[in-house]
Amino acid sequence: MQHPATARQAQPKPSSRDLSAAGLRAFFNIARDWGLSTDEQMVLLGAPGRSTFFKWKSTPEAADLKRDTLERLSYLLGIYKALQILLPAATAADAWVKKPNSAPLFGGKSALDRMLGGNVADLIAVRQYLDARRGGWA
């Protein structure tokens, strides 16, 4: 019998194309749940060209994303997951991103407004805020 650590190592690492497709599929589901416009989605993804964006949307399995876009997807998925944990009612979790927030990080604006700053640092800030609200980094 194989040791569990050995069995884990035997599995091939997902390709960047596999990660890209999975990340984009998840992102477009989140964008639908959050009610994001095309322009908002494009900013969150790092401002790809419109034709690139629509190609990703129609055939995510053909995308091979750059590291910056994969990093953005990772933070957005983490934000989505943290909201699902903090606000188990899906409608409340999905609405939170657009609600004005009095926390100093947001200054009365919504988390989405902060995330639409366009920098990865904006996504990191929202993710860290939610992780702190959850009481950890898990």
Side-chain angles (χ1 to χ4, degrees), residues 33-34 80 83-84 87-96:
D33 292 351
W34 288 353
Y80 183 82
L83 286 170
Q84 300 298 311
L87 303 165
T91 52
D94 294 338
W96 183 87

Side-chain angles (χ1 to χ4, degrees), residues 100-109:
N101 193 316
S102 60
L105 175 67
F106 305 111
K109 295 187 175 198

Side-chain angles (χ1 to χ4, degrees), residues 20-95:
S20 297
L24 285 172
R25 280 193 294 271
F27 171 78
F28 289 121
N29 287 331
I30 291 168
R32 179 201 61 222
D33 292 351
W34 288 353
L36 301 180
S37 70
T38 296
D39 287 341
E40 289 169 334
Q41 293 174 51
M42 290 175 66
V43 170
L44 293 176
L45 290 173
R50 286 186 87 76
S51 63
T52 299
F53 172 81
F54 286 107
K55 218 174 284 176
W56 290 350
K57 194 164 185 168
S58 65
T59 53
E61 64 282 353
D64 194 1
L65 303 176
K66 291 185 172 80
R67 183 178 173 166
D68 174 74
T69 309
L70 288 170
E71 186 178 0
R72 289 169 176 277
L73 288 172
S74 173
Y75 286 117
L76 289 161
L77 297 176
I79 290 165
Y80 183 82
K81 178 183 173 191
L83 286 170
Q84 300 298 311
I85 292 167
L86 285 166
L87 303 165
T91 52
D94 294 338

